[in-house]
């Protein structure tokens, strides 16, 4: 609610930087994690209001670090009850990873929501904790596919009963299967809503130029049909940067406003990352540093901040970057072979440095900087350790295949890739299993396993035939069902 956000801003402004103890890293002020005042977004706000009044789906697009999510959340808070879901880097490798995370987020948010038995049964295909997916018939018919997608629509309705708006962040990372399911659901939500109920509204954020070709075509179709509006978020002006820095209440920062605006190009994330660097090097009270990475690039600046981390904290950050969307703090002791106490201390250091927030990075650009600082040898070793621990934890086969492949252990990856294909063939749309069989066949061929490759190709062909006979449920340009075999 707006009142709650106002209170948060008061807390941020009033929170002093705690004194550092000998040998420890002091926490950065909250105001550089989330600047208290949203600035420079008046024109974008007016576009959002116009789209809202027109009943359109709102897309917010901009460069990484331009403040898309912040704008979406602030606007949603003025329009009603809202909730946030997100995709993460790495989702594209696992079918329905994005949709499954969204449902788990909503189920935690609204634990009292009771899904009908048939909905729970169908969703157990992507949320095994809801039932026993192995008891379900394969999705080899149009009727079966339609029932699965209808269950997603029904679940969306029930889980959003207490919300008016859903903010979806980083939709450029959505896996193809999740994107198709949402496109179908979006075309059905209004029709499936109870009479007199308010329709669920959506605000989606994505990086400019990074949507997949299918997603870009779908967004373009919605815009051309008048059902959606794209709001572009651009860089801040020098005056905007001045207002943003003034609201943070950092002693000495306002003296660097002109240099900050020039150096960062008005990108909000670049501004806060530069301020973090100045804070950590005790440079706010001195002249502007003469040695900084080239203007307009935040990666090297984040790298310098990462270099000040302890070796174990940096290893934890690198593990989190490689694990991506599936990182859990519980993985750290086993993968890095340290005690839980040491792992906790390192993770606390990452939180104090605003590298991690819980089990996710403070921003995707921070994760990208962490990965960019890794050598290929270290990358492969960590992937292998991660795969070993995940195997012991019974992680999904496709995830194990990914990490063994990244570690360079193709033969260790193949059984998991085949297991994933067989599992997908039983409980998910057959085209997903076909892709995994095709990938396995190519790897087998490269290893000289020609007979196994032939069998994998035959399984791929079988799945593609099932997919063709079942029909593919995808949205037409106007957002309604329109592809071959889709209802309506």
């Amino acid at each position: 609610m707006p009142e709650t956000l106002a209170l948060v801003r008061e807390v941020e402004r009033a929170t002093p930087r705690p004194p550092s103890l000998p040998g420890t890293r002091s926490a950065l002020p909250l105001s550089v994690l989330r600047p208290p005042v949203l600035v420079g977004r008046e024109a974008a706000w007016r576009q959002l209001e116009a789209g809202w009044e027109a009943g359109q789906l709102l897309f917010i697009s901009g460069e990484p670090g331009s403040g898309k999510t912040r704008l979406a959340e602030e606007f949603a808070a003025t329009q009603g009850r809202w909730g946030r879901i997100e995709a993460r880097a790495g989702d594209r490798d696992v079918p329905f990873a994005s949709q499954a995370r969204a449902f788990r987020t909503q189920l935690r948010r609204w634990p009292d929501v009771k899904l009908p038995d048939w909905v729970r049964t169908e969703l157990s295909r992507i949320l095994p904790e809801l039932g026993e997916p192995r008891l379900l018939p394969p999705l080899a018919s149009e009727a079966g596919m339609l029932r699965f997608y209808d269950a997603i629509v029904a679940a969306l309705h029930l889980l959003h009963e207490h919300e008016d708006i859903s903010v979806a962040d980083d939709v450029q990372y959505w896996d193809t299967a999740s994107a198709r399911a949402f496109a179908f659901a979006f075309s059905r939500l209004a029709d499936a809503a109870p009479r007199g109920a308010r329709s669920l509204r959506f605000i989606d954020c994505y990086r400019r130029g990074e949507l997949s070709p299918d997603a870009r075509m779908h967004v373009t179709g919605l815009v051309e049909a008048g059902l959606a509006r794209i709001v572009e978020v651009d860089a801040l002006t020098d005056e905007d940067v001045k207002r943003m820095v003034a609201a943070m209440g950092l002693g000495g920062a306002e003296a660097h406003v002109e240099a900050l605006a020039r150096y960062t190009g008005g990108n909000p994330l670049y501004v806060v990352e530069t301020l973090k660097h100045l804070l950590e090097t005790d440079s706010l009270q001195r002249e502007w540093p003469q040695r900084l990475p080239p203007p307009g690039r935040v990666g090297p600046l984040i790298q310098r901040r990462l270099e000040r981390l302890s070796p174990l904290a940096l290893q934890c950050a690198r593990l989190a970057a490689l694990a991506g969307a599936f990182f859990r703090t519980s993985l750290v002791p086993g993968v890095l072979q340290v005690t839980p106490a040491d792992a906790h201390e390192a993770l606390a250091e990452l939180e104090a440095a605003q590298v991690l927030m819980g089990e996710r990075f403070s921003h995707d650009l921070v994760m990208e900087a962490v990965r960019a600082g890794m050598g290929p040898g270290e990358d492969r070793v960590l992937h292998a350790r991660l795969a070993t621990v995940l195997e012991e934890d019974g992680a999904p086969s496709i995830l194990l295949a990914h990490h063994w492949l990244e570690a360079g252990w193709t033969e260790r990856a193949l059984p998991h890739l085949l297991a994933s294909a067989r599992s997908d063939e039983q409980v998910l749309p057959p085209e997903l299993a076909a892709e995994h069989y095709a990938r396995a066949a190519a790897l087998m061929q490269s290893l000289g396993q020609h007979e196994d490759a032939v069998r994998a190709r035959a399984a791929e062909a079988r799945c593609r035939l099932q997919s063709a006979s079942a029909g593919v449920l995808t949205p037409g340009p106007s957002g309604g069902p329109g592809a071959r075999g889709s209802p309506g």
Side-chain angles (χ1 to χ4, degrees):
M1 296 175 67
E3 295 83 359
T4 308
L5 288 175
L7 179 59
V8 168
R9 293 186 189 119
E10 286 187 32
V11 173
E12 290 169 340
R13 280 192 288 265
T15 301
R17 190 181 186 202
S20 57
L21 299 174
T24 64
R25 184 191 191 103
S26 61
L28 290 166
L30 288 174
S31 62
V32 292
L33 177 63
R34 184 182 177 90
V37 176
L38 180 69
V39 300
R41 298 298 176 231
E42 293 79 11
W45 193 281
R46 288 192 294 271
Q47 291 187 56
L48 289 172
E49 288 182 325
W52 186 268
E53 290 299 320
Q56 295 172 319
L57 190 160
L58 299 174
F59 291 103
I60 300 178
S61 173
E63 297 299 321
S66 58
K68 302 178 292 295
T69 307
R70 174 70 178 272
L71 175 61
E73 292 178 350
E74 295 259 350
F75 181 78
T78 67
Q79 301 299 328
R81 304 162 301 176
W82 64 279
R84 178 176 176 270
I85 59 174
E86 64 179 12
R88 296 186 191 174
D91 280 5
R92 291 177 179 175
D93 297 325
V94 181
F96 287 106
S98 304
Q99 186 65 73
R101 181 183 302 103
F103 277 139
R104 288 187 175 110
T105 298
Q106 292 155 345
L107 286 167
R108 286 194 299 270
R109 190 180 298 150
W110 306 112
D112 293 334
V113 170
K114 302 299 182 185
L115 300 177
D117 289 343
W118 76 273
V119 173
R120 291 178 62 89
T121 298
E122 288 298 325
L123 291 189
S124 70
R125 297 179 185 273
I126 60 175
L127 299 171
E129 64 267 27
L130 295 184
E132 179 45 69
R134 296 298 177 272
L135 299 178
L136 293 172
L139 291 177
S141 68
E142 181 176 342
M145 290 284 290
L146 182 58
R147 183 176 176 83
F148 173 58
Y149 280 103
D150 279 344
I152 291 177
V153 176
L156 282 172
H157 266 302
L158 291 169
L159 290 168
H160 285 285
E161 277 186 340
H162 305 291
E163 296 174 354
D164 305 308
I165 309 131
S166 177
V167 174
D169 199 15
D170 283 327
V171 297
Q172 75 274 0
Y173 292 137
W174 275 61
D175 64 277
T176 302
S178 293
R180 287 179 180 175
F182 173 76
F184 176 83
F186 177 72
S187 70
R188 291 296 185 91
L189 279 171
D191 294 337
R195 186 178 300 276
R198 294 182 62 181
S199 297
L200 177 64
R201 304 289 294 273
F202 295 93
I203 304 176
D204 290 359
C205 305
Y206 64 88
R207 288 187 182 185
R208 183 180 296 150
E210 294 192 22
L211 286 179
S212 67
D214 284 348
R216 186 167 60 250
M217 182 174 65
H218 180 56
V219 170
T220 300
L222 290 171
V223 171
E224 290 176 349
L227 299 175
R229 174 181 301 235
I230 300 174
V231 177
E232 297 287 351
V233 176
D234 296 314
L236 301 176
T237 66
D238 291 3
E239 184 59 31
D240 295 332
V241 173
K242 182 178 180 179
R243 291 166 52 208
M244 175 182 173
V245 173
M248 292 184 187
L250 304 174
E254 292 186 64
H256 297 303
V257 165
E258 290 185 11
L260 264 174
R262 183 172 60 253
Y263 178 71
T264 63
N267 182 294
L269 180 73
Y270 293 12
V271 171
V272 298
E273 286 297 328
T274 304
L275 287 171
K276 290 175 186 178
H277 171 79
L278 296 177
L279 281 166
E280 291 182 343
T281 56
D282 292 323
S283 301
L284 276 183
Q285 306 296 334
R286 301 200 294 266
E287 295 294 323
W288 182 258
Q290 296 300 310
R291 295 184 178 181
L292 283 177
R297 296 175 59 201
V298 75
L301 194 62
I302 298 174
Q303 286 283 5
R304 291 194 180 187
R305 294 188 55 237
L306 295 172
E307 289 168 3
R308 291 191 286 273
L309 294 169
S310 68
L312 181 55
L314 184 56
Q315 281 289 88
C316 287
R318 289 172 172 173
L319 170 61
L322 293 186
F326 303 93
F327 174 68
R328 298 291 179 269
T329 55
S330 58
L331 293 172
V332 173
V335 175
L336 300 184
Q337 299 175 355
V338 297
T339 66
D342 287 342
H344 176 76
E345 184 177 337
L347 291 165
E349 182 182 348
L350 292 175
E351 289 237 21
Q354 296 181 4
V355 174
L356 288 184
M357 296 171 58
E359 295 183 328
R360 62 187 296 274
F361 281 91
S362 58
H363 197 279
D364 292 336
L365 290 179
V366 178
M367 180 194 68
E368 291 169 11
V370 171
R371 296 200 69 161
M374 297 180 66
E378 182 181 19
D379 185 318
R380 288 193 292 270
V381 168
L382 271 180
H383 273 297
R385 290 183 180 176
L386 188 54
T388 301
V389 171
L390 289 173
E391 273 186 339
E392 295 171 356
D393 291 347
S397 296
I398 187 60
L399 197 58
L400 298 174
H402 165 74
H403 287 296
W404 282 123
L405 287 171
E406 292 296 319
W409 292 56
T410 304
E411 293 186 0
R412 292 287 296 269
L414 267 175
H416 295 297
L417 195 57
L418 285 171
S420 177
R422 295 185 185 110
S423 174
D424 286 354
E425 190 175 358
Q426 289 301 308
V427 298
L428 295 179
E431 68 268 16
L432 301 178
E435 295 299 327
H436 293 158
Y437 278 127
R439 191 177 181 192
L443 290 173
M444 290 169 176
Q445 197 72 35
S446 69
L447 293 173
Q449 301 175 7
H450 303 297
E451 292 184 5
D452 291 337
V454 168
R455 284 192 285 270
R457 289 292 183 194
E460 176 198 355
R462 180 182 67 247
C463 290
R464 295 201 186 281
L465 182 61
Q466 289 175 350
S467 177
S469 63
V472 181
L473 299 175
T474 56
S478 65
R484 179 192 63 210
S486 62

